[in-house]
Amino acid sequence: MRTFWILVVCVFLGFASEAQVKFIERYEVAGSPNDPTFEMMRIPDGLVSFRTFQQKGFSANRAFQFFVSDLELKTPGLIEMPMKPGFDMIGYDTDGNNLFVLMAKGYSTSAEKYILHVNLESSQGFEFPAENLLNIELVEFLVQKRKAVFMGNSESRPVLQIFDLDSKSIHTVQGVYGNNTQVLQIRKMPEFEALEVVISRRGQYKNRETSIITFDMLGNLIREIKVDQFGQPDQEILEGLLLADQDYQQVMIGSYGLDGRSAYQGMYIMEINEFGEYQFKLYTLEDFPNFFNYLPEKQKTKRDELVVKDLEKAKIPLIRNTYAVRDVREVNDSYYVYFDQVNIVNNGGRRPGGWSSTNSYRYDRINRMGYAPYYMDPFLAPNTPVQSYASAFEYQYESAHFVKVSKEGQVLWDNSATYGGFTTTYPEPFGEIAIVGEDLYHLYAEDDVIKASFFRGGEKVFDHLDFELELPNEEERIRATDYGTLRLVHWYDRYFILTGLQTIRALNSQNQETIREVFFISKILVDGDLYQPEEARD
């Protein structure tokens, strides 16, 4: 009898936990083991998913496959287009309901290239040769108003070129190429037919200078803001995320610390007015009383006491690990800022270009649905699963941190969630947040579970709960999941998307077992209102 009641309690607790994450829609593409996954991008009314695919047969060429899905994952189906022999995808972007894919014949900097333009409304494809470009190690490919943007490195210096698809004219942007220079972010500005480029330079005295440069689509300089005054003489900007313009006002949010030592001290908000004048608001651990909430109570108390001791000595407390800004969500009167605290360990290799946490390029992860740039990064093998490569770096994730700050600068609340000692060699961010009213959700995938934390009005409701992967059809079972292909991204409102490769087991009409290999897209709903604390369940 005692065993029975233990079983009942365990089932009930499991049900109460799992109810907060629901797998509500699913779309599958049948395939074979080791098939390539699909990339995804947002379009006005849903998603476009696409890949290059090796057709069956000894002499078969690659084909380009794509499908468009609405908000319920309903789709007209998979569409296939022929590709030029020997070419593969090395970059992509969307502009409205148009998909642009950069194809290359091999992976050398001088490889022949062309751009495939797919009109997603008519499903027609058009090819444009990409000729007379500089030979660069490609980092970024963007398209705006039928002008393609190529950014990459030549002799360890950044190069930015704009290629007109119709006139075939090429403009090399001035003011980007230089020694000890990194392009940190490129933001499309379709309303102004311009580009904003964030650049970091090391001066002759090894001081770091950040510039925000605006170019038109002919490569002409519109405005340059040099951020050459920041904090105290030994402080510098370490990371930053430039937000979209609002009434000619700009905001950049990130982390800062000690010059040349990557010793993180806190968060900054830089505000830029229409005249290019800027001012900073700086925040330290003194402003984040819940920074160590991810720790057990005794450890949290000890860390808090160390912060107080530093403050009593008029010292700025240091953040022990890399304090990396991941996402910023703007609402009417405030910003939600998401940081990860991660220890980056070099295991013996060196990334080309002297990569560090403070000079890596920031991809548009919102529109590219958690984009993992293994197509464009010469350090990674092209067209391979995102975790199949060897990395010289190990990323030991400590905690996720969340701050809500008013546009006047007041910290409204802060809190944190643990990663439970999670370690990976995957170099790109993978945690995702959703902001719904006063609710904040933080999710990520680890092997075959989804880890979730939930905050309401800044108060932690639950932290680091496990939710198993599920199928909407209760008559089917997941036989195997390729963990290295899983990608979890926020879509809209309280909905997330999970994609990857799985093996599914089911019974047919003759009650016989069938096995199918699939690429899948699952739409996931998170609902913190369904959570019941243990004391309530008791």
Side-chain angles (χ1 to χ4, degrees):
M1 186 66 179
R2 180 173 179 271
T3 303
F4 170 78
W5 283 113
I6 291 174
L7 179 62
V8 169
V9 170
C10 289
V11 170
F12 179 75
L13 290 178
F15 173 78
S17 173
E18 292 173 5
Q20 297 131 52
V21 173
K22 297 181 179 180
F23 292 73
I24 58 175
E25 304 288 350
R26 183 178 170 101
Y27 177 73
E28 296 180 351
V29 177
S32 303
N34 303 316
D35 277 354
T37 58
F38 284 79
E39 301 300 317
M40 288 188 303
M41 286 202 71
R42 298 175 190 270
I43 54 176
D45 296 316
L47 299 171
V48 58
S49 304
F50 50 95
R51 68 180 178 184
T52 59
F53 182 74
Q54 182 66 50
Q55 297 173 317
K56 306 303 180 185
F58 179 75
S59 60
N61 292 319
R62 283 190 174 275
F64 181 75
Q65 298 180 329
F66 74 95
F67 61 92
V68 173
S69 45
D70 63 15
L71 296 181
E72 305 303 323
L73 296 187
K74 292 183 172 57
T75 173
L78 188 69
I79 297 174
E80 190 167 287
M81 292 181 174
M83 291 173 52
K84 292 182 178 181
F87 283 78
D88 203 354
M89 174 168 59
I90 64 167
Y92 57 81
D93 194 22
T94 56
D95 194 14
N97 278 313
N98 296 280
L99 173 65
F100 296 88
V101 182
L102 179 61
M103 305 289 189
K105 192 172 187 178
Y107 299 101
S108 71
T109 58
S110 59
E112 181 184 352
K113 300 178 179 69
Y114 75 94
I115 297 170
L116 173 63
H117 166 210
V118 181
N119 184 316
L120 299 176
E121 295 177 348
S122 65
S123 298
Q124 290 182 296
F126 309 90
E127 295 179 356
F128 299 88
E131 300 173 332
N132 301 317
L133 295 163
L134 294 175
N135 296 335
I136 60 173
E137 295 176 340
L138 188 69
V139 175
E140 179 67 287
F141 171 75
L142 300 169
V143 178
Q144 179 174 263
K145 304 292 185 182
R146 298 189 60 78
K147 292 181 172 63
V149 178
F150 296 79
M151 192 279 286
N153 294 310
S154 175
E155 299 177 343
S156 299
R157 300 176 181 90
V159 176
L160 182 63
Q161 291 190 296
I162 300 174
F163 174 72
D164 191 306
L165 296 183
D166 299 314
S167 70
K168 306 299 185 292
S169 64
I170 299 174
H171 301 275
T172 301
V173 176
Q174 303 300 309
V176 174
Y177 187 84
N179 293 327
N180 300 313
T181 301
Q182 290 86 31
V183 175
L184 302 183
Q185 184 181 350
I186 300 177
R187 196 179 69 80
K188 297 196 294 186
M189 305 173 67
E191 64 277 21
F192 302 114
E193 296 191 17
L195 297 172
E196 271 186 334
V197 184
V198 182
I199 294 176
S200 176
R201 291 188 177 93
R202 279 287 186 192
Q204 59 178 338
Y205 301 109
K206 295 188 176 181
N207 58 307
R208 187 189 304 276
E209 179 184 277
T210 300
S211 297
I212 302 172
I213 310 176
T214 306
F215 301 97
D216 66 19
M217 297 308 290
L218 296 177
N220 298 314
L221 176 67
I222 298 176
R223 182 170 83 163
E224 180 174 7
I225 301 168
K226 290 186 177 181
V227 184
D228 51 10
Q229 296 180 5
F230 177 83
Q232 301 172 8
D234 62 342
Q235 292 177 325
E236 66 179 6
I237 293 173
L238 295 178
E239 284 197 341
L241 176 60
L242 183 66
L243 307 186
D245 288 40
Q246 297 287 339
D247 300 323
Y248 300 99
Q249 310 285 319
Q250 293 173 290
V251 173
M252 186 169 172
I253 300 178
S255 55
Y256 73 95
L258 297 179
D259 177 21
R261 285 176 274 172
S262 293
Y264 291 78
Q265 293 180 315
M267 178 183 83
Y268 71 86
I269 298 178
M270 178 172 63
E271 299 172 332
I272 307 170
N273 65 21
E274 62 269 32
F275 305 110
E277 301 165 335
Y278 59 86
Q279 62 180 3
F280 287 95
K281 297 182 178 74
L282 302 182
Y283 304 85
T284 70
L285 292 183
E286 182 179 12
D287 302 296
F288 304 143
N290 296 313
F291 187 91
F292 296 109
N293 265 11
Y294 67 93
L295 294 172
E297 189 60 34
K298 288 185 178 180
Q299 293 183 40
K300 177 186 182 308
T301 300
K302 289 182 179 180
R303 295 283 188 92
D304 287 339
E305 290 172 351
L306 291 175
V307 170
V308 171
K309 288 181 180 179
D310 281 339
L311 295 173
E312 290 174 346
K313 298 175 183 178
K315 294 172 57 179
I316 298 177
L318 293 181
I319 298 171
R320 294 185 177 183
N321 302 303
T322 296
Y323 187 52
V325 61
R326 297 308 200 195
D327 200 355
V328 179
R329 303 289 175 88
E330 183 176 1
V331 296
N332 292 332
D333 57 355
S334 57
Y335 303 103
Y336 288 88
V337 190
Y338 160 37
F339 287 88
D340 275 336
Q341 188 185 187
V342 55
N343 183 27
I344 304 175
V345 180
N346 188 329
N347 288 329
R350 182 174 176 83
R351 189 181 177 92
W355 180 89
S356 74
S357 63
T358 59
N359 65 19
S360 56
Y361 179 75
R362 184 176 295 277
Y363 290 89
D364 177 7
R365 290 172 45 81
I366 298 296
N367 290 312
R368 282 176 167 157
M369 303 295 286
Y371 177 65
Y374 53 91
Y375 283 102
M376 302 184 193
D377 191 333
F379 182 61
L380 309 180
N383 206 19
T384 57
V386 294
Q387 290 185 341
S388 65
Y389 51 82
S391 172
F393 291 87
E394 184 176 82
Y395 303 84
Q396 301 169 354
Y397 278 82
E398 181 84 7
S399 50
H401 296 265
F402 315 101
V403 181
K404 183 180 182 182
V405 57
S406 73
K407 290 185 176 179
E408 287 71 36
Q410 178 187 2
V411 175
L412 302 176
W413 61 258
D414 81 288
N415 221 316
S416 59
T418 183
Y419 274 107
F422 179 66
T423 298
T424 181
T425 56
Y426 181 53
E428 288 300 304
F430 57 87
E432 294 281 322
I433 61 171
I435 308 295
V436 185
E438 292 297 316
D439 294 347
L440 185 149
Y441 298 90
H442 176 249
L443 274 69
Y444 68 97
E446 181 179 343
D447 293 338
D448 59 348
V449 298
I450 292 174
K451 304 279 189 175
S453 301
F454 173 50
F455 303 83
R456 172 161 288 170
E459 296 296 324
K460 186 184 297 184
V461 180
F462 61 77
D463 182 12
H464 208 240
L465 290 187
D466 291 355
F467 301 93
E468 294 184 357
L469 307 187
E470 296 180 358
L471 301 173
N473 186 347
E474 296 180 356
E475 302 300 318
E476 299 180 338
R477 297 290 182 270
I478 300 172
R479 184 176 184 181
T481 299
D482 185 342
Y483 303 149
T485 65
L486 290 182
R487 185 188 303 180
L488 177 71
V489 294
H490 177 243
W491 193 4
Y492 66 96
D493 197 62
R494 61 181 78 243
Y495 296 99
F496 291 74
I497 289 288
L498 180 70
T499 68
L501 300 177
Q502 285 183 330
T503 305
I504 304 300
R505 179 171 60 87
L507 296 178
N508 61 19
S509 57
Q510 286 77 42
N511 209 32
Q512 297 174 328
E513 183 179 82
T514 60
I515 302 295
R516 66 179 187 272
E517 307 285 344
V518 300
F519 169 84
F520 73 93
I521 299 181
S522 287
K523 183 179 181 181
I524 299 172
L525 169 67
V526 293
D527 190 349
D529 288 331
L530 297 177
Y531 175 71
Q532 293 185 11
E534 290 187 15
E535 56 269 23
R537 291 186 296 229
D538 292 342

